[in-house]
Amino acid sequence: MSVIRGSRAIVSLVVPFYNEADIVSLFFREVTEVLGNLPDADFEIVCVNDGSTDATLERLLDAAQYDPRLRVVDLSRNFGKEAALSAGIDASIGDAVVPFDADLQDPPEVIPLLVQRWREGFDVVLAKRAERNTDTWAKRGTAALFYRIHNAISETIIPDNAGDFRLMSRQVIEALKQLPENRRFMKGLFAWVGFRTTQVEYRRRERAGGKSKFSGWKLWNFALEGLTSFGTLPLRIWTYIGGLTAGCAMLYAIYLVMRTMINGIDVPGYASIFTAVLFLGGMQLVGIGVIGEYVGRIYMEAKRRPVYIVRKAYRRDGA
């Protein structure tokens, strides 16, 4: 277990940025004040510019010019938050690594609590939301439904109300870096590697500025990514549905034969045939769609493309 005792540890804060120019200054002001007071620990902030189209990169470089503890990794385009997190984790050098959002909804004041529990011997310290009052009713409901469904169909259990915000030891980070997936669902990967885990509860704040980059459609696709990343039950269940449907059809066929033998032949109803055809056709299309989700994942993974491409990594000396 990679716990640093009796020496100054390095804590790496990994922060993806995508069009967050308005809050860059506020972010560094709040975060560096908290991290600068960590007992017996130094820190670095790995800022990943995920293809921002505003002035985010320029403001990150301005901040890094005056503080050697800030590092900027500029990706060649927008690869998405999961890829940006992977890039920051790969670039980090800390004994402990903390993924963190740039919008400051997760209070920086929680980080010392995570470090304290890590020093007690835990490899992973989850930051769990005590409540989700900053989310809309619809988002709270769909999030709860997602966790319930995911944990029911997957062998990898994801703690509910725990996002990417957590502390992970260097041993955990090295385990994560061995995972070869191209399509990455980071919360699932964090849970899959295991290790000794505890949690700290906290209350989330409102966004410090800007707006969420996750639309309803993106959240839906993100949920599908999570549901198909760590379980095959959505595929397996169609075997049972098909068997049940075939069994019902066989029983109905026997019923029709017996009724015809007793009552003679009657004229079949158009409505019942039409309904049965639509129902079975719809079930087949849904089943094909589920298979398509998994085939699509196989297709993307088979290409073996990198998760991200770094355009340039900046340090204070300009390299």
Side-chain angles (χ1 to χ4, degrees), residues 277-298:
V277 169
L278 286 181
F279 174 72
L280 293 176
M283 287 182 59
Q284 290 171 345
L285 290 175
V286 172
I288 292 172
V290 173
I291 295 172
E293 285 290 331
Y294 283 89
V295 172
R297 291 187 61 85
I298 296 170

Side-chain angles (χ1 to χ4, degrees), residues 109-118 120 122 124-130 161-162 165-167 197-203:
E109 294 78 16
V110 179
I111 298 174
L113 301 179
L114 304 182
V115 174
Q116 178 183 344
R117 299 307 305 274
W118 168 61
E120 293 173 4
F122 293 97
V124 179
V125 187
L126 300 175
K128 184 175 181 179
R129 303 165 193 170
N161 293 325
F165 183 30
R166 66 191 66 204
L167 181 146
T197 302
T198 188
Q199 65 184 31
V200 171
E201 288 196 347
Y202 75 104
R203 296 186 180 276

Side-chain angles (χ1 to χ4, degrees), residues 15 60 92 98-99 106 159 179 189 204 239 259 266 309 311:
V15 191
L60 291 176
S92 66
V98 180
D106 300 322
L179 304 182
L189 296 180
R204 246 188 164 200
T239 303
R259 190 183 68 174
D266 61 352
I309 296 175
R311 189 184 73 86

Side-chain angles (χ1 to χ4, degrees), residues 35-58:
L35 294 181
N37 292 321
L38 288 176
D40 298 322
D42 298 318
F43 72 89
E44 66 165 358
I45 303 178
V46 182
C47 308
V48 182
N49 179 47
D50 188 22
S52 298
T53 56
D54 61 1
T56 297
L57 178 60
E58 289 76 10

